[in-house]
Amino acid sequence: MNGAAVPAVLVFAGLDPGGGAGLAADVLAIAAQGAHALPVATALTVQDNNRVHAVQPVDAGFVLAQARALVDTVDIRAVKLGIPGSRANARAIAGLLRELRARDPALPVVLDPVLASGHGDALAEDDPLEIVGELLALATIALPNEPEACAIGEFPCEHLLLTGGHGERRFVENRWSRHGRLVRRWRWPRLPGGFHGSGCTLAASLAGRLALGESMEQALGAAQAYCHDALARAFAIAPGQRIPRRFFHPPI
């Protein structure tokens, strides 16, 4: 692959100084697929591997400036959306997505519709449902967990992967639907303990696989297998939630 272009994924997410979630997770998960992340910071956070203590959104104009410097020069093959940090940021990102879609109607947009941290800590100044609502219709696929899906209710995007990691059942069941109709289920053995950034890992790796040109079914299967392996190999940096080991072997 010497000299060959590497597919680029434009990423909007917050900065986790603990390196477990957000931009740090996205960069590693996308790189592990063989793609390249273009990380645009939407928020600065104060957090560790267990709790989010404070969130400071980046100015919407600056978020847009970060992204425009990239989209004007780089061939964007996929977009991954994490926390926008504010409704103003979500609106700015939505406007840019419409421009990108005008250039490439088939551009895959992967939305991780995070409403709060795993412990329920706020991740934005504004109503999280209103923030997510700005982006849902522009997403190709959203990957909510069961509590997020219940809170959001309606998903206008073409594809949906409903993840079952928040339950207590022996197996984690993830359900893929298209236009509201179930297409396929995947079952994964539930791993013990808690993990910081598992949703970021799954969504980012999916965006990376789509950037490589895989079909939605291929990308979903590969991203879930990668994420499960990363969680199985997770490591500790402090007591509590472990960090997925995202970069440990060549792409699946």
Side-chain angles (χ1 to χ4, degrees):
M1 289 192 61
N2 186 29
V6 175
V9 180
L10 183 62
V11 178
F12 294 93
L15 177 63
D16 171 9
L23 291 176
D26 295 339
V27 169
L28 287 175
I30 289 168
Q33 313 314 309
H36 177 69
L38 305 172
V40 174
T42 58
L44 305 179
T45 72
V46 178
Q47 62 178 299
D48 52 31
N49 59 309
N50 294 304
R51 302 299 298 264
V52 178
H53 306 288
V55 177
Q56 177 62 58
V58 175
D59 174 76
F62 198 72
V63 170
L64 206 54
Q66 292 178 75
R68 285 202 180 281
L70 298 167
V71 302
D72 289 344
T73 56
V74 182
D75 180 21
I76 307 299
R77 302 296 298 275
V79 179
K80 188 268 181 179
L81 305 175
I83 64 164
S86 69
R87 192 169 187 184
N89 285 352
R91 286 174 174 169
I93 294 167
L96 183 65
L97 288 178
R98 293 186 184 97
E99 293 179 25
L100 293 175
R101 278 277 172 74
R103 302 182 199 174
D104 179 8
L107 178 71
V109 176
V110 178
L111 173 63
D112 182 11
V114 183
L115 301 180
S117 75
H119 284 279
D121 301 319
L123 293 170
E125 293 181 336
D126 305 317
D127 184 338
L129 288 174
E130 291 182 356
I131 292 174
V132 169
E134 298 280 353
L135 300 168
L136 271 174
L138 295 167
T140 306
I141 182 169
L143 296 86
N145 57 41
E146 291 173 346
E148 289 164 346
C150 290
I152 294 169
E154 296 293 327
F155 288 86
C157 45
E158 179 181 356
H159 298 274
L160 184 75
L161 184 71
L162 179 60
T163 62
H166 276 65
E168 298 294 333
R169 296 179 292 275
R170 180 182 173 189
F171 289 93
V172 172
E173 183 176 274
N174 299 333
R175 290 173 284 168
W176 169 36
S177 59
R178 184 179 184 191
H179 297 304
R181 294 189 175 185
L182 181 66
V183 178
R184 184 173 173 182
R185 303 171 190 259
W186 286 269
R187 298 179 76 204
W188 304 94
R190 184 175 298 279
L191 298 168
F195 306 95
H196 184 48
S198 56
C200 305
T201 305
L202 178 58
S205 59
L206 175 61
R209 305 305 299 197
L210 292 172
L212 295 175
E214 293 185 352
S215 69
M216 184 59 74
E217 185 166 12
Q218 288 175 316
L220 281 170
Q224 290 177 81
Y226 162 80
C227 184
H228 188 269
D229 204 1
L231 298 184
R233 299 168 183 253
F235 59 91
I237 59 171
Q241 294 187 116
R242 289 175 291 157
I243 308 297
R245 193 178 300 275
R246 301 178 177 96
F247 205 81
F248 49 83
H249 56 54
I252 297 168

